[in-house]
Amino acid sequence: MVTVILEKIEQQYKSLSKQQKKLADFILKNPNDIISLTSKEVGEKADVSTATVVRFAQQQGLDTFADLKIAIASQLSSGKVIVDAVIDRNDSTKVMSEKLEQVYASSVQKSYAMLKIADIDKSVKLINAANNIYILGVGTSGLIAYDLYHKFNRYGIKTFYETDSHMNLEFLTSATKDDVVIAISYSGKTKEVAVGTEYAFENKIPVISITRTDSNLINSSNVVLGVPDNERTIRVAAIASKLSTMYVADLLFISIMQERFGMMKDSAIRTNQLVNKLKDK
C-alpha cells in the first residue's frame, strides 16, 4: 500500500508548531516541487531552518529528508494527491474548479479510509431498535442534520430535529433509553450539541456522534463515526469537513435503508403520493 504522506501531514497540522506549519503549508501546496529540492532549498522557500526540515521528516517516521521526498513521489505517482484547497487571489475559474474537484475526491477518500464498519453496523442496530431518533447539529452540521432528519421521516423513521437549538433540547427532554441521539459536530466544540449529548449520555440514552476522533464528544458517545481532521485554518470555507460529515451521514442512512428496505419503500411511496397532491391542478 502506498503511504499517503501528504494526508498524514495534513492530519497532523493543528498539532504542529508555528515553524512546522509554515513548512507543512509549503509542502502541501507544492508537493511536485519538493521532489527536486534539497532540504536547504525547501527551508529557504518555506522560511524555516534546514534543521526544521530534517526534523519534520523524522517526525513523519522517516529517517531522512530524502525518504520524505520518496514518500511524496510515491503518492504523486499513485494519483492519490491531497491538494491544497486555499483559494489564491490569482486563481482562474479553471484552477478553482480543479481545486474543488480534488477537494471533493480527497474528502471522500479520507472519510472512506477512516471508516470502521463495525461502528456503522452498531449504529444501524441502535437506530433499528429505537422508538425515536433525535438529531443534534447547528451551523454547517445543522444542514446535514436537517437533511438526515427529512430522509429518516420520509422513509418512516420517527425523527425529531429543529433548527432552533433551544427547541431541539426541549425535544430531547422527552427522549428515553429506548430512543437514540445522533450528534453531528465536526469540531465537537459546539455548545448546543455538547450540552444535548451530555444530557443524553447521563440519562442512558444511546448516543451516536459524527465528529472528529479528537473531539470532546467521544466522551459522551456510545458510538463514534469519525471524520478526518481536514480543515486547516487557512481554508476559505468548511467545504472538506462538510463533505466528510455528509459522506458518513449518507452512509448511515443508506445502511438503515438497506435493513428496512420493504418498510421504507412503502413509506416513501405514501409520502410521494401525498406530496404529489400539491401538484394537482
Side-chain angles (χ1 to χ4, degrees):
M1 180 180 292
V2 177
T3 300
V4 188
I5 187 66
L6 299 178
E7 177 181 334
K8 183 178 179 181
I9 292 171
E10 189 172 46
Q11 290 290 303
Q12 295 176 350
Y13 190 82
K14 289 184 179 178
S15 64
L16 299 178
S17 67
K18 183 177 180 181
Q19 291 296 101
Q20 290 172 330
K21 284 181 179 178
K22 289 170 66 175
L23 177 56
D25 287 339
F26 180 75
I27 292 173
L28 292 170
K29 192 170 186 178
N30 308 281
N32 288 287
D33 295 342
I34 297 296
I35 300 170
S36 61
L37 298 174
T38 65
S39 57
K40 181 179 179 181
E41 289 170 333
V42 170
E44 290 173 350
K45 290 180 178 295
D47 193 24
V48 300
S49 68
T50 303
T52 296
V53 177
V54 174
R55 285 196 298 269
F56 187 82
Q58 294 170 341
Q59 186 179 347
Q60 308 311 311
L62 304 168
D63 292 330
T64 66
F65 175 66
D67 292 329
L68 176 61
K69 293 202 294 182
I70 291 171
I72 292 173
S74 296
Q75 180 172 344
L76 292 175
S77 65
S78 75
K80 297 178 179 178
V81 184
I82 308 301
V83 297
D84 190 279
V86 178
I87 302 301
D88 188 86
R89 185 180 183 88
N90 298 317
D91 282 346
S92 65
T93 302
K94 182 176 185 297
V95 169
M96 288 191 293
S97 67
E98 289 171 349
K99 285 185 175 182
L100 188 59
E101 186 275 333
Q102 295 252 8
V103 169
Y104 269 63
S106 64
S107 295
V108 172
Q109 288 171 2
K110 287 187 281 187
S111 301
Y112 174 75
M114 283 190 66
L115 275 181
K116 292 184 178 179
I117 301 302
D119 289 336
I120 293 289
D121 291 342
K122 187 175 180 181
S123 299
V124 170
K125 187 175 181 179
L126 284 171
I127 292 172
N128 278 334
N131 291 331
N132 304 295
I133 311 299
Y134 294 83
I135 304 180
L136 302 173
V138 297
T140 301
S141 295
L143 297 176
I144 298 166
Y146 192 62
D147 178 66
L148 190 59
Y149 155 72
H150 274 291
K151 284 176 178 173
F152 278 159
N153 274 313
R154 186 179 185 87
Y155 286 92
I157 300 175
K158 191 173 181 181
T159 307
F160 296 89
Y161 175 74
E162 174 56 55
T163 53
D164 185 319
S165 56
H166 288 203
M167 288 191 68
N168 231 12
L169 294 178
E170 182 180 318
F171 289 155
L172 196 56
T173 59
S174 299
T176 71
K177 297 176 183 179
D178 296 321
D179 299 321
V180 166
V181 171
I182 300 176
I184 305 176
S185 174
Y186 170 74
S187 69
K189 298 177 181 178
T190 309
K191 190 171 183 179
E192 293 87 344
V193 176
V195 168
T197 303
E198 289 168 6
Y199 169 84
F201 194 72
E202 289 169 0
N203 286 275
K204 310 298 182 185
I205 304 166
V207 176
I208 300 166
S209 64
I210 302 177
T211 187
R212 290 196 330 233
T213 52
D214 63 347
S215 158
N216 290 331
L217 284 186
I218 65 175
N219 298 320
S220 53
S221 301
N222 299 90
V223 186
V224 177
L225 303 179
V227 293
D229 183 355
N230 53 12
E231 287 290 359
R232 288 188 282 134
T233 55
I234 55 175
R235 296 198 184 280
V236 174
I239 296 174
S241 61
K242 179 185 67 176
L243 291 169
S244 296
T245 306
M246 188 178 298
Y247 172 79
V248 174
D250 282 346
L251 177 60
L252 182 60
F253 170 72
I254 62 175
S255 298
I256 296 293
M257 188 175 181
Q258 182 188 41
E259 288 280 321
R260 301 185 176 200
F261 185 76
M263 293 181 291
M264 294 179 79
K265 181 181 178 182
D266 292 342
S267 179
I269 291 173
R270 290 195 301 271
T271 301
N272 286 335
Q273 288 174 339
L274 181 60
V275 171
N276 282 338
K277 290 184 178 182
L278 297 176
K279 302 176 184 178
D280 293 340
K281 293 183 180 180

